[in-house]
Amino acid sequence: MLGGSATAFSRSLFGQALPHLIVIGGGFGGATCARELKRHGLNVTLVEPNLIYTACPFSNAVIAGLRPIEAQQFRLDVVKQGGVVVAQQWAVRVEPGARRVFLVDGSSLQYDRLVLAPGIDLRFDALPGYDEAASAMLPHAWKAGEQTELLRRQLEAMEDGGTVIIAAPSNPFRCPPGPYERASLIAHYLKTHKPRSKLIILDAKDTFSKQRLFQAAWQELYPNLIEWVSLSSGGKVNEVNAKTRTLTTDFGHHTGDVVNVIPPQRAGQITHVAGAADRSGWCPIDPVTFESRLQPNIHVIGDSSIAGGMPKSAFSANAQAKVCAAAIVSLLRGQPPSAPKLINTCYSLVAPDYGISVAGVYRPANGVLTDVEGAGGTSPPNAPPSFRSLEATYAQAWFETITTEVFG
Amino acid sequence: MRTIIVAAILLAAIAPASAQSVAPPGAAACSGCHALGVGSASIPPLSGQTPESIVTAMQAFRMGQRQATVMDRIAKGFSDEETRAIADWVGQKR
């Protein structure tokens, strides 16, 4: 196994008490970090209320009817078998001074270092008319699970000739290409099952991830089916009426038969409680150790962190988790952590056999994770169908490999 | 190729044993796609690669001499020395 016994901590190094690490959140970042720390022989508790994790990558394929939700679900059993103690509860409070985490049942846990990996919170206070009750009618489907299935059912129930609306948020948010992959795969479903239907994207931005590639593919695969309304064309949604399924922008009203509102987001609630989030709603971190800039001995990885050029993706969270775990091991040993390099690769499906990607390589520079110049970028424009098909195959292979590394 | 092998021998000689298990910069991210154990059918697992084959492939990707979908974009983010360190680390995991 990674790390191996050669690097394991022995009790003699630390007296009788082995360092205790707590990780909050059992997704791509948290589960990876907990397992990495455990491989170094440390005491690790993972605080996660759900023993089954529902993964977001590829959940757009579930919405489009291309994949069952079960293919997105992963159990924490193997993580437990590896020796990570799983506290199946919500963490409700952190006292950074006392280095304690308080759980919903009233008990508390002491830590030497704490890793926060709670993902995102949807802001139900940011868009007038869109609160949690509204999301039961107009799903966000931006946390995979019941919401994913709800949006799927609504699309299935919609008559041919209907209008689907996706409201996309401004930056930063989880999975920058996600709304556009979703639009693509829903368009694929409409084209093949309800060809008289339309899809409108109301966007709070003027540019988006892999834009050239998406728009060229839409022209080619879904002409006259997808309409993208940019911020400057009046795409920003200011108000939601869930009952009438109407979205109001500066320029007018849009009523849809199926309406998917992806609301503004912020770092997971526990980061705010712990004092690790700043006024932006996200968590500033040291790019070498992922230690919070605001709270010593607390590290933040994944979507909650402000990771400079790195997007909020499962790949990023997994890569950051491994770097963070290695840095924590160095810090516990009293050694200086070495400056990392990180990679991200995000695949999007425009159709089942049409994949595109964006990649980046990152290093700490001037206190933030910065793109390595000359590296990264998107798939080439004008690539042949065989290239797009290969990237769709690689997207699937990536998902299998990463979920095996994290949960298998 | 000869200089690469010489460099590898030198590096192996000076690197202390304790440092070998620490992932060099960038190495930890590889396994996001390339499995350290049994991998998928379409993306080559790291466990099947020798350090030499990794160095050769990364150089070819970086120089645009080998067809790629994404590895050309990633390889350009790593120097010869960084690539060598990653390849050697992967070699220990095999």
Side-chain angles (χ1 to χ4, degrees):
Chain A
M1 283 309 223
L2 254 180
S5 57
T7 62
F9 283 85
S10 62
R11 277 178 192 281
S12 58
L13 257 173
F14 290 92
Q16 284 309 299
L18 271 175
H20 186 214
L21 290 309
I22 298 178
V23 180
I24 297 180
F28 284 93
T32 302
C33 197
R35 293 182 87 174
E36 285 289 317
L37 290 167
K38 189 68 219 175
R39 283 181 187 124
H40 287 279
L42 296 159
N43 279 335
V44 184
T45 301
L46 176 64
V47 181
E48 169 56 59
N50 300 307
L51 289 185
I52 297 176
Y53 179 75
T54 307
C56 277
F58 271 88
S59 66
N60 284 331
V62 177
I63 290 166
L66 299 166
R67 188 179 172 85
I69 189 82
E70 291 74 23
Q72 300 300 114
Q73 292 174 328
F74 300 90
R75 303 187 63 87
L76 288 176
D77 295 358
V78 179
V79 177
K80 275 181 166 176
Q81 283 159 19
V84 172
V85 175
V86 177
Q88 197 190 340
Q89 297 192 53
W90 287 99
V92 291
R93 197 156 57 87
V94 176
E95 280 185 13
R99 297 206 314 268
R100 285 197 94 79
V101 172
F102 293 80
L103 306 179
V104 73
D105 71 353
S107 64
S108 69
L109 298 165
Q110 183 82 36
Y111 62 81
D112 292 283
R113 284 184 178 269
L114 170 65
V115 179
L116 300 177
I120 53 155
D121 264 8
L122 299 161
R123 290 191 55 194
F124 287 120
D125 60 344
L127 184 54
Y130 196 72
D131 55 13
E132 198 154 9
S135 75
M137 290 175 274
L138 315 183
H140 53 77
W142 218 242
K143 289 188 176 189
E146 175 49 37
Q147 280 273 313
T148 311
E149 295 186 281
L150 177 60
L151 183 53
R152 173 67 200 149
R153 286 196 301 272
Q154 291 186 352
L155 286 168
E156 277 175 329
M158 189 183 82
E159 304 268 340
D160 188 10
T163 300
V164 180
I165 303 178
I166 297 175
S170 57
N171 295 320
F173 63 102
R174 162 181 282 179
C175 190
Y180 314 97
E181 180 191 62
R182 176 171 294 178
S184 306
L185 292 182
I186 290 176
H188 173 78
Y189 169 70
L190 297 176
K191 183 183 172 183
T192 48
H193 291 80
K194 294 167 183 176
R196 296 191 298 115
S197 310
K198 250 191 83 88
L199 189 150
I200 301 169
I201 306 165
L202 297 177
D203 209 327
K205 301 180 292 302
D206 274 326
T207 58
F208 60 86
S209 175
K210 304 181 220 179
Q211 182 168 356
R212 253 179 96 194
L213 294 169
F214 273 116
Q215 289 183 317
W218 293 344
Q219 199 82 37
E220 183 190 335
L221 301 175
Y222 314 117
N224 307 316
L225 205 163
I226 297 179
E227 181 190 352
W228 176 64
V229 184
S230 67
L231 168 68
S232 50
S233 305
K236 184 176 185 292
V237 173
N238 298 322
E239 201 175 339
V240 175
N241 186 325
K243 273 206 185 102
T244 60
R245 295 191 302 277
T246 302
L247 306 179
T248 304
T249 67
D250 282 345
F251 289 33
H253 305 284
H254 298 263
T255 300
D257 298 289
V258 174
V259 177
N260 168 215
V261 177
I262 304 166
Q265 296 149 35
R266 63 174 199 164
Q269 174 64 14
I270 196 68
T271 67
H272 298 270
V273 174
D278 69 15
R279 286 170 61 187
S280 74
W282 306 95
C283 302
I285 47 111
D286 178 292
V288 174
T289 60
F290 287 84
E291 188 163 0
S292 168
R293 295 274 193 207
L294 304 176
Q295 300 294 344
N297 304 312
I298 296 180
H299 301 248
V300 186
I301 56 173
D303 291 353
S304 282
S305 67
I306 299 172
M310 291 191 88
K312 300 185 187 303
S313 71
F315 194 115
S316 290
N318 169 259
Q320 291 165 6
K322 289 179 269 190
V323 166
C324 176
I328 286 175
V329 168
S330 295
L331 290 167
L332 289 172
R333 288 208 174 105
Q335 297 163 350
S338 52
K341 259 191 168 174
L342 291 109
I343 302 172
N344 176 65
T345 305
C346 285
Y347 288 101
S348 302
L349 294 179
V350 187
D353 61 346
Y354 191 123
I356 55 177
S357 64
V358 62
V361 182
Y362 310 89
R363 65 185 172 85
N366 303 319
V368 288
L369 284 165
T370 307
D371 277 272
V372 173
E373 261 184 68
T378 62
S379 312
N382 310 317
S386 58
F387 191 102
R388 306 298 188 211
S389 171
L390 195 55
E391 288 218 278
T393 305
Y394 287 160
Q396 176 72 43
W398 163 74
F399 186 77
E400 283 168 25
T401 302
I402 198 165
T403 53
T404 302
E405 182 176 68
V406 179
F407 302 106
Chain B
M1 183 61 86
R2 192 185 164 81
T3 51
I4 292 166
I5 295 167
V6 172
I9 292 165
L10 279 174
L11 206 117
I14 55 170
S18 60
Q20 294 273 318
S21 55
V22 177
C30 304
S31 58
C33 288
H34 298 271
L36 283 166
V38 179
S40 75
S42 54
I43 300 181
L46 285 179
S47 48
Q49 311 292 315
T50 63
E52 284 316 315
S53 68
I54 292 171
V55 167
T56 306
M58 288 287 278
Q59 280 175 339
F61 284 135
R62 191 163 59 230
M63 309 293 281
Q65 292 161 347
R66 180 170 162 181
Q67 279 228 314
T69 53
V70 71
M71 279 312 299
D72 50 345
R73 292 175 258 158
I74 291 170
K76 289 186 183 115
F78 295 91
S79 66
D80 278 334
E81 293 73 25
E82 288 171 329
T83 304
R84 183 78 241 177
I86 292 169
D88 287 341
W89 180 81
V90 169
Q92 297 162 37
K93 301 287 163 198
R94 293 169 72 227

